[in-house]
Amino acid sequence: MHPALSVIFFTVTAGAGYGLLFLLGLLHLLGLAPDTSPDQIVAMGLIGLLLVTAGLLSSTLHLANPKNAWRSFTRFRTSWLSREAVFAVAFYPVALLWLLCQWFTGNTAATVVFGVLMALLATMVLICTGMIYATLKTIRQWHTALTPVNFVLLGLFLGALILSVMLAQQGLMFEPVARLVLIVLVIAALVKLVYFHWIGQPAGPTINTALGFTRATVRLLDVGHASDTFHNKEFGYQVERTRIIWLRVLCIALAFVLPLLLISGLLGEVSFGLLLLAVISAYAGVFVERWLFFAEARHVVNLYHGMQRT
């Protein structure tokens, strides 16, 4: 699949924002920031909303006809894309009410209720985004439960890292937050490694299975067209295997290994500068991961164009 930078930026940046706001909504329930003032929480919440908004705006750049975007809200019962749009819009009033409660009343029952609702909606948006791809049976690399799990875990991981940076900048970083970041990092890394291993297995339909021939290898002699088509460009994106392997290594190194070294204190005492470097590294690593998510996907339509397996 052709990697669209607008969609990659949307899923990574908005995912980080949703992960951050998920944690902020459950801040006091999880005991992550007992000394944080309402003003500080509101400031961090606004940064989370800024990330979500920037991501959602970038997603519109991928639309062929932006004026028809409203139609994405009309198929809630059957479309995960429609559910994502509805939950993303419903998220804003709840988040704003949570911010207002934090600003005017502090940690009250209403704040907790809106915080929990905000966390649930943030999770639903991430799940819906992942399910848009996971429900496509025509793309084996996406049609797995690992897809939405990865979207949720990576969003939560980036959000936890950003939260740790903001707390450290205000002198509020303490052990429970660092422990949470490490736990989410390890789980997200393990799930991603399982995903890389799973999509690398020799599986999926072939030209033989598509035609029902089992005795001999079927080979396409003529693709039937002299120039590239929409299907070739969008669904037949080709990347050298060596490049894929190096990008996978880069993804794991930037997204998980370097942040782990930085936040665990193995490279020295954990400070604001090291945490900021960990965020930058993790964001770049997840950006590479999302590029690979598209570039490694193989649509079954490629069998028509001579690819032996999808």
Side-chain angles (χ1 to χ4, degrees), residues 164-186:
S164 68
V165 167
M166 292 190 294
L167 290 175
Q169 192 273 333
Q170 300 171 78
L172 298 171
M173 180 65 176
F174 66 118
E175 187 176 346
V177 178
R179 192 182 303 122
L180 173 68
V181 175
L182 287 172
I183 291 173
V184 177
L185 184 156
V186 171

Side-chain angles (χ1 to χ4, degrees), residues 80 83 130-139 142-144 147-148:
W80 284 101
R83 292 165 187 160
M131 287 302 295
I132 292 172
Y133 305 103
T135 53
L136 297 178
K137 296 181 180 180
T138 52
I139 303 177
W142 291 354
H143 188 55
T144 168
T147 297

Side-chain angles (χ1 to χ4, degrees), residues 147-212:
T147 297
V149 171
N150 268 317
F151 271 75
V152 173
L153 286 175
L154 291 175
L156 187 60
F157 167 53
L158 288 178
L161 266 180
I162 295 172
L163 174 63
S164 68
V165 167
M166 292 190 294
L167 290 175
Q169 192 273 333
Q170 300 171 78
L172 298 171
M173 180 65 176
F174 66 118
E175 187 176 346
V177 178
R179 192 182 303 122
L180 173 68
V181 175
L182 287 172
I183 291 173
V184 177
L185 184 156
V186 171
I187 296 175
L190 289 175
V191 172
K192 194 68 233 183
L193 288 172
V194 170
Y195 174 82
F196 280 149
H197 174 74
W198 181 79
I199 67 172
Q201 300 305 303
T206 64
I207 297 178
N208 278 59
T209 59
L211 295 175

Side-chain angles (χ1 to χ4, degrees), residues 83-259:
R83 292 165 187 160
E84 178 198 42
V86 170
F87 284 126
V89 171
F91 176 84
Y92 274 92
V94 174
L96 291 174
L97 287 171
W98 173 77
L99 287 171
L100 290 173
C101 288
Q102 285 283 2
W103 182 266
F104 290 107
T105 64
N107 185 31
T108 62
T111 307
V112 172
V113 170
F114 285 122
V116 172
L117 287 175
M118 182 176 70
L120 289 174
L121 284 172
T123 305
M124 286 306 303
V125 175
L126 291 174
I127 291 174
C128 290
T129 303
M131 287 302 295
I132 292 172
Y133 305 103
T135 53
L136 297 178
K137 296 181 180 180
T138 52
I139 303 177
R140 183 186 73 88
Q141 292 80 4
W142 291 354
H143 188 55
T144 168
L146 291 171
T147 297
V149 171
N150 268 317
F151 271 75
V152 173
L153 286 175
L154 291 175
L156 187 60
F157 167 53
L158 288 178
L161 266 180
I162 295 172
L163 174 63
S164 68
V165 167
M166 292 190 294
L167 290 175
Q169 192 273 333
Q170 300 171 78
L172 298 171
M173 180 65 176
F174 66 118
E175 187 176 346
V177 178
R179 192 182 303 122
L180 173 68
V181 175
L182 287 172
I183 291 173
V184 177
L185 184 156
V186 171
I187 296 175
L190 289 175
V191 172
K192 194 68 233 183
L193 288 172
V194 170
Y195 174 82
F196 280 149
H197 174 74
W198 181 79
I199 67 172
Q201 300 305 303
T206 64
I207 297 178
N208 278 59
T209 59
L211 295 175
F213 294 108
T214 59
R215 298 277 179 137
T217 301
V218 179
R219 182 168 58 91
L220 187 68
L221 298 179
D222 189 359
V223 295
H225 50 79
S227 59
D228 285 341
T229 66
F230 173 80
H231 284 164
N232 292 110
K233 295 176 180 178
E234 292 297 321
F235 303 146
Y237 189 79
Q238 298 295 314
V239 187
E240 294 179 359
R241 187 61 188 169
T242 304
R243 184 183 179 191
I244 288 290
I245 294 174
W246 279 111
L247 286 174
R248 283 188 181 185
V249 173
L250 181 65
C251 164
I252 297 299
L254 290 177
F256 305 115
V257 176
L258 182 56

Side-chain angles (χ1 to χ4, degrees), residues 9 22 52 73 80 134 139 160 194 202-203 254-255 271 294-295 307:
F9 180 83
F22 172 89
V52 169
F73 297 92
W80 284 101
I139 303 177
V194 170
L254 290 177
S271 62
F294 289 97
M307 290 186 63

